[in-house]
Amino acid sequence: MSVIHVDRTNFQSEVLLSDRPVLLDFWAPWCGPCRMIAPAVEEIAAERPDVKVGKINIDEQPELAVQFGVMSIPTLVVMKEGRIVNQATGARPKEQILALL
């Protein structure tokens, strides 16, 4: 699958009501570390059909960033059945991102 761009309008259907775990990447275009992890996030989306991968641009979706208490980016959040089960802030290698799942 490809990465889903999550916003206020599709958050409930794509994240809260998802039938599989969701990896959310809170990012911004001006963020260097966000750009560093982007290829790994894209690879995970392509390689793991059992996981839904969504990106949330904090500049365009500040309400979602506030809702999740995002203070620094990149922030990765793993949700299952509408609940946060794991969270990490900062750039990290693909293996560490996969370990969050």
Side-chain angles (χ1 to χ4, degrees):
M1 286 191 66
S2 59
V3 171
I4 299 162
H5 293 281
V6 176
D7 59 30
R8 291 183 318 276
T9 61
N10 68 359
F11 181 77
Q12 182 165 348
S13 62
E14 294 291 356
V15 179
L16 295 181
L17 300 176
S18 177
D19 59 349
R20 55 198 157 148
V22 181
L23 171 64
L24 293 174
D25 175 15
F26 287 85
W27 71 288
W30 47 263
C31 167
C34 298
R35 291 193 305 269
M36 286 173 49
I37 69 165
V41 171
E42 297 277 346
E43 286 174 19
I44 292 168
E47 296 168 0
R48 295 285 304 267
D50 60 318
V51 175
K52 189 180 283 191
V53 178
K55 291 180 74 91
I56 300 175
N57 182 331
I58 64 160
D59 289 341
E60 296 173 357
Q61 304 300 320
E63 300 88 355
L64 289 176
V66 169
Q67 180 179 334
F68 280 84
V70 173
M71 300 293 208
S72 180
I73 54 173
T75 292
L76 299 168
V77 175
V78 178
M79 297 192 67
K80 292 181 183 172
E81 299 174 0
R83 294 187 327 273
I84 297 171
V85 295
N86 217 338
Q87 190 167 336
T89 301
R92 55 200 60 238
K94 181 179 175 183
E95 298 75 33
Q96 288 183 14
I97 297 171
L98 287 168
L100 294 171
L101 301 171

